[in-house]
Amino acid sequence: MDRPSGHAATVDRRPGNHAAAMDRMYRYTRHIYDITRKPYLLGRDRMIAELDVPPGGTVLELGCGTGRNLVAVARRYPDCRLFGVDISAEMLHTAGATIDAAGLTHRITLSPGDATAFDAASAFGLPRFDRVYFSYAVSMIPDWVAALKEADRLTAPGGRLAVVDFGDAAHLGALPRRLLHGWLALFHVTPRVDLAARMHTLATGRTVRHTSLHGGYAQIGTIG
């Protein structure tokens, strides 16, 4: 697989930082991640179906994890080019294997990188993309607002930024909501309950759509 190294040297993996924490978390669980997460990472395929990638378009996933979503996007939109970024070297190993197994190495390129500050031009030779998305990643990025701003910067004019992630669980009831958010906190996951408001702030005249799914368990937000 062609994996540009343009951003590899800038990912700080010293003990105590986010990259090192993600590597520790996923060093072993990456092997069973997709199987164990499938029942509760809801809304991913709906978000992919609504990306509406233009013919020959470019798609960037920030926090690409195991590569599961990149493969799904590639199959749904067979003439687009795809790019994936993750701060975890462990996850990128799994993503590479996933993409290899799917026979999609000619269409999907990976790079290590920080979603809050990513030099796409150096890593991929492209400064912006027709579609940029996060799938259950902003809830794990400490400075998620900076990541959202960076994703917006990487979205081409007339393009679309999409996010699917855990929601506020507002309609699940007080006890289920506390139990869900308490359980997620054990995995360093924090639902971004003000995602819609942050997207409206970024949009500056562009269309924002926000959908709450399954009683607020999950949410999908788009700009553009």
Side-chain angles (χ1 to χ4, degrees):
M1 166 163 302
D2 178 18
R3 295 181 192 169
S5 60
H7 222 66
T10 66
V11 176
D12 184 354
R13 302 193 181 282
R14 288 175 296 180
N17 68 13
H18 186 52
M22 291 301 96
D23 279 344
R24 286 195 302 273
M25 179 180 295
Y26 294 125
R27 183 164 293 120
Y28 303 109
T29 60
R30 63 189 173 92
H31 300 291
I32 58 170
Y33 184 92
D34 287 332
I35 294 173
T36 58
R37 267 58 172 186
K38 184 177 180 180
Y40 64 86
L41 296 188
L42 307 179
R44 293 180 296 173
D45 291 330
R46 174 171 171 172
M47 184 270 293
I48 289 169
E50 294 175 355
L51 281 177
D52 192 24
V53 181
T58 54
V59 181
L60 172 67
E61 180 174 10
L62 293 167
C64 65
T66 65
R68 178 264 186 198
N69 297 315
L70 289 168
V71 169
V73 174
R75 288 174 172 164
R76 187 173 185 91
Y77 305 99
D79 61 351
C80 71
R81 291 183 295 151
L82 299 104
F83 305 87
V85 175
D86 205 285
I87 201 168
S88 170
E90 299 290 344
M91 275 301 205
L92 285 175
H93 287 311
T94 295
T98 300
I99 294 161
D100 286 340
L104 290 166
T105 57
H106 62 296
R107 291 180 54 204
I108 305 175
T109 306
L110 303 176
S111 174
D114 185 339
T116 65
F118 183 67
D119 186 352
S122 294
F124 297 134
L126 292 171
R128 292 185 175 183
F129 304 82
D130 298 305
R131 299 291 185 267
V132 178
Y133 70 89
F134 292 97
S135 175
Y136 285 90
V138 297
S139 56
M140 298 192 72
I141 299 173
D143 194 354
W144 72 277
V145 174
L148 196 64
K149 291 178 180 177
E150 183 71 348
D152 190 48
R153 184 187 69 80
L154 292 168
T155 304
R160 182 176 302 164
L161 167 60
V163 178
V164 61
D165 215 306
F166 293 106
D168 59 11
H171 301 291
L172 295 182
L175 180 59
R177 183 177 187 274
R178 285 199 302 272
L179 291 174
L180 172 63
H181 288 183
W183 176 69
L184 292 175
L186 296 176
F187 301 94
H188 310 287
V189 173
T190 304
R192 307 309 183 183
V193 297
D194 55 343
L195 174 66
R198 295 291 185 174
M199 291 187 118
H200 277 286
T201 299
L202 278 177
T204 57
R206 292 167 292 165
T207 300
V208 176
R209 295 180 178 86
H210 183 267
T211 303
S212 180
L213 305 175
H214 310 294
Y217 176 92
Q219 60 181 329
I220 297 175
T222 63
I223 298 175

